Amino acid sequence: MIKKLIRRILGVGSDASTTTQAKRFGPEAHGINPDDVSPNAVRVTQALQKAGYKAFIVGGAVRDLVLGLKPKDFDVATDATPEEVKRLFRRAFIIGRRFQIVHVMFGQELIEVTTFRGSSTDDAPKDAHGRVLRDNTFGEQHEDAARRDFTINAMYYDPSQQVVLDYHGGMKDIRARMLRIIGTPEARYREDPVRLLRVVRFAAKLEFKIAPATRAPMAVMAPLINNVPAARVFDEMLKLLMSGHAMACLQRLRKEGLHHGLLPLLDVVLEQPLGEKFVTLALANTDERVRQGKPVSPGFLFAALLWHQVLERWEAYRAAGEFPIPSLHLAADDVLDGQTEKLALQRRIATDMRDIWAMQPRFERRIGKSPYKLLEHPRMRAGYDFLLLRCASGEIESEIGQWWTDFIDADGQEREALLQRKPAQETAAAPKKRRRRGGRGRNQTRSESAD
């Protein structure tokens, strides 16, 4: 408390800038279109202001509105405590341990409301590396601005007055297309190493340059990510991969030296022609779906990213004499076990990945009742889309994908005709050939499916 009082009196903070006065930008200066603002976010700010509290739309929503982009979600910052916020709204829930926030629900839309955070990080529990473990200290608006990560995310928009408050030159950096961390970069990265990944995501997504001082310590401090709980790393990686600029983000991760330990062996995959083409196609497909507002399956995305690691181990097990299907399951176990520790893949996502991988050899069995049974699989569409990626990358013959496209679209008689087109000995002989021939490499599946 004494340290907090001294900082309040002297107007100083530990590692972040201590600007107490904000620049005000009116509608002509910030250019925000009020029609682009969520009516529910406006409703939350108005309810808080009517109750006598300060309330602003804050963070990424303000940044995107200024850039003329459509915000994915809206956050509100206020001087009301979580309990005071909760009392104002019928469907409001306090969550969080590291820092309490309130989720206010309006149908399917969630408005996240945070109380202005104070600057007393010295008193907050930290780990041996300086990462803040828990900090529920509330404070003034200028302290809250200093606690935010980047200047472009530290602007506050009051929809009732259509005014933007800017404490750290965020508007200037937006115009210069510059990403700059608030305060001392080394200290801010130690507080929360996930900021290292956020730098990459925002720089790639917004096509911003990274300020030299912000970028300088990144490679040296990259190992700090290993101290972050795996679940938080997974959440940030998912945001990165589903940002609509996934390939650009991964390339930037490699450029900044941040990829080690996040997706092990990704470099090896991207250095192989088939692997690079497959991953590029998968991420381009994901980016396009995000831009079109279509849903994206995390299971499909991670199944694609890790497929060539599975494929490599699958071939190794077959070369050692394992049967094809059991060897595929062993390969999947190896890859998932290696990733779970780092990325905390949720069980549901891991199950989806296994299903997609396990279906791939079944697509080669185009005889009898096997294709009909595969059509009934709950993950059939994802497995089929995955098959088409393999065909497009050149991993297997495109004829297999075309056959399944025709089979899915055909009626009963047409399907029987398609089944008659394929020789029955193809799938019966393939497993024996694979076991006898051993490790012939990645083209094994393609050549045998054409026999």
Side-chain angles (χ1 to χ4, degrees), residues 422-423 425-426 433 437 440 444 446-451:
K422 300 305 300 177
Q425 67 267 25
E426 175 196 329
K433 287 183 179 180
R437 294 179 184 180
R440 284 177 46 199
Q444 181 178 12
R446 177 172 56 195
S447 60
E448 290 174 0
S449 66
D451 288 347

Side-chain angles (χ1 to χ4, degrees), residues 22-68:
K23 290 185 177 180
R24 297 173 62 89
F25 294 89
E28 293 183 359
H30 59 64
I32 293 176
N33 183 351
D35 293 338
D36 294 335
V37 181
S38 163
N40 291 322
V42 175
R43 189 181 307 174
V44 170
T45 59
Q46 288 177 342
L48 286 163
Q49 290 170 355
K50 186 177 180 180
Y53 302 109
K54 296 180 181 178
F56 301 83
I57 294 172
V58 70
V62 182
R63 176 199 69 222
D64 289 346
L65 289 168
V66 172
L67 286 168

Side-chain angles (χ1 to χ4, degrees), residues 68-320:
L69 305 175
K70 182 179 180 180
K72 185 177 180 180
D73 47 43
F74 287 82
D75 298 338
V76 170
T78 178
D79 59 352
T81 66
E83 291 77 12
E84 290 169 336
V85 173
K86 187 177 185 300
R87 284 197 291 266
L88 291 176
F89 302 97
R90 183 172 60 86
R91 297 187 64 201
F93 311 92
I94 298 176
I95 67 166
R97 294 179 59 188
R98 185 168 178 262
F99 187 79
Q100 288 187 335
I101 59 179
V102 182
H103 283 174
V104 182
M105 304 297 300
F106 295 93
Q108 295 298 314
E109 185 176 11
L110 182 153
I111 306 297
E112 188 170 283
V113 183
T114 60
T115 303
F116 293 150
R117 300 174 67 180
S119 60
S120 58
T121 56
D122 289 346
D123 298 329
K126 300 177 182 178
D127 66 12
H129 305 277
R131 180 174 65 89
V132 177
L133 300 176
R134 186 172 63 257
D135 186 5
N136 281 314
T137 302
F138 304 138
E140 304 295 331
Q141 187 173 10
H142 69 272
E143 294 177 301
D144 184 75
R147 290 289 300 274
R148 296 186 179 271
D149 46 13
F150 308 110
T151 61
I152 61 173
N153 290 342
M155 297 184 293
Y156 301 75
Y157 177 62
D158 182 351
S160 63
Q161 298 185 32
Q162 296 186 39
V163 169
V164 168
L165 301 184
D166 180 7
Y167 286 90
H168 296 282
M171 195 70 70
K172 179 180 178 181
D173 283 341
I174 281 181
R175 290 166 179 165
R177 306 192 72 78
M178 182 70 69
L179 191 62
R180 190 188 316 276
I181 205 165
I182 298 172
T184 306
E186 292 88 346
R188 304 311 302 280
Y189 294 143
R190 286 191 183 279
E191 286 176 1
D192 187 0
V194 168
R195 287 176 178 140
L196 292 161
L197 302 180
R198 287 168 62 82
V199 168
V200 170
R201 175 160 60 91
F202 288 132
K205 176 182 176 180
L206 302 174
E207 298 182 354
F208 274 28
K209 296 174 289 184
I210 302 176
T214 298
R215 183 181 182 186
M218 289 177 63
V220 175
M221 306 195 80
L224 292 175
I225 296 174
N226 295 327
N227 303 317
V228 178
R232 283 201 70 213
V233 175
F234 175 77
D235 288 343
E236 191 59 36
M237 283 298 296
L238 201 56
K239 290 178 183 178
L240 185 149
L241 293 170
M242 300 178 73
S243 65
H245 301 80
M247 195 63 191
C249 286
L250 286 183
Q251 290 171 341
R252 197 68 188 247
L253 278 176
R254 298 177 70 198
K255 181 179 179 181
E256 305 298 342
L258 298 175
H259 58 292
H260 299 297
L262 296 175
L263 289 172
L265 303 182
L266 183 61
D267 274 339
V268 177
V269 172
L270 294 178
E271 288 170 2
Q272 299 173 0
L274 282 179
E276 180 178 13
K277 187 172 184 181
F278 182 85
V279 170
T280 300
L281 286 170
L283 295 180
N285 177 272
T286 298
D287 289 346
E288 184 60 28
R289 290 185 66 86
V290 171
R291 291 178 188 133
Q292 293 178 0
K294 296 180 179 179
V296 176
S297 164
F300 183 91
L301 183 55
F302 279 99
L305 287 175
L306 300 176
W307 168 242
H308 279 73
Q309 294 176 35
V310 173
L311 192 58
E312 181 180 351
R313 286 168 172 75
W314 187 17
E315 291 169 352
Y317 277 120
R318 285 187 292 177

Side-chain angles (χ1 to χ4, degrees), residues 321-360:
E322 290 284 352
F323 286 100
I325 301 304
S327 64
L328 176 57
H329 289 293
L330 288 171
D333 288 342
D334 288 349
V335 171
L336 288 174
D337 289 345
Q339 290 294 333
T340 298
E341 182 179 352
K342 293 293 182 183
L343 288 179
L345 288 168
Q346 299 170 9
R347 181 177 298 181
R348 174 180 55 83
I349 294 176
T351 299
D352 289 347
M353 295 166 67
R354 289 179 185 277
D355 286 347
I356 291 170
W357 292 336
M359 274 190 279
Q360 299 312 302

